[in-house]
Amino acid sequence: AMVRLASEPAPDAMQESDIELDEMLAMLAPRQRAAVALHYNLGLGINEVAAAMRCRPGTVKSLLHSAREKLRRELHVDE
């Protein structure tokens, strides 16, 4: 979980998890961000993400894997 600054009020319209997600997505490369948003935010399957991004399913899997690795490093999260 990310730590929020005390001076940063949570907007009523958004949940804290949405704000954390925006902060995390900002750390990713554009194609990684697109793959993560389509797969995790919109719930699309790997093949659907691949079709939307006009790439192969293997590319989507690679993008998602590299995005998770980057976030793990940036956030110092152990799984």
Side-chain angles (χ1 to χ4, degrees):
M2 292 192 59
V3 177
R4 290 174 46 85
L5 299 175
S7 62
E8 180 185 344
D12 293 337
M14 293 180 72
Q15 293 185 0
E16 187 172 335
S17 60
D18 294 331
I19 296 165
E20 291 174 358
L21 184 61
D22 288 344
E23 292 170 356
M24 290 187 294
L25 289 176
M27 298 177 189
L28 302 176
R31 283 176 57 78
Q32 289 174 333
R33 189 164 46 246
V36 166
L38 290 169
H39 184 63
Y40 293 109
N41 292 32
L42 299 180
L44 298 183
I46 298 296
N47 291 334
E48 293 170 305
V49 174
M53 293 183 67
R54 297 183 178 173
C55 64
R56 295 173 181 260
T59 302
V60 173
K61 291 178 185 176
S62 177
L63 287 167
L64 292 173
H65 175 76
S66 59
R68 286 191 301 265
E69 287 298 312
K70 179 169 180 59
L71 291 174
R72 197 171 290 130
R73 284 193 309 271
E74 292 289 331
L75 303 172
H76 307 291
V77 173
D78 295 323
E79 281 194 335

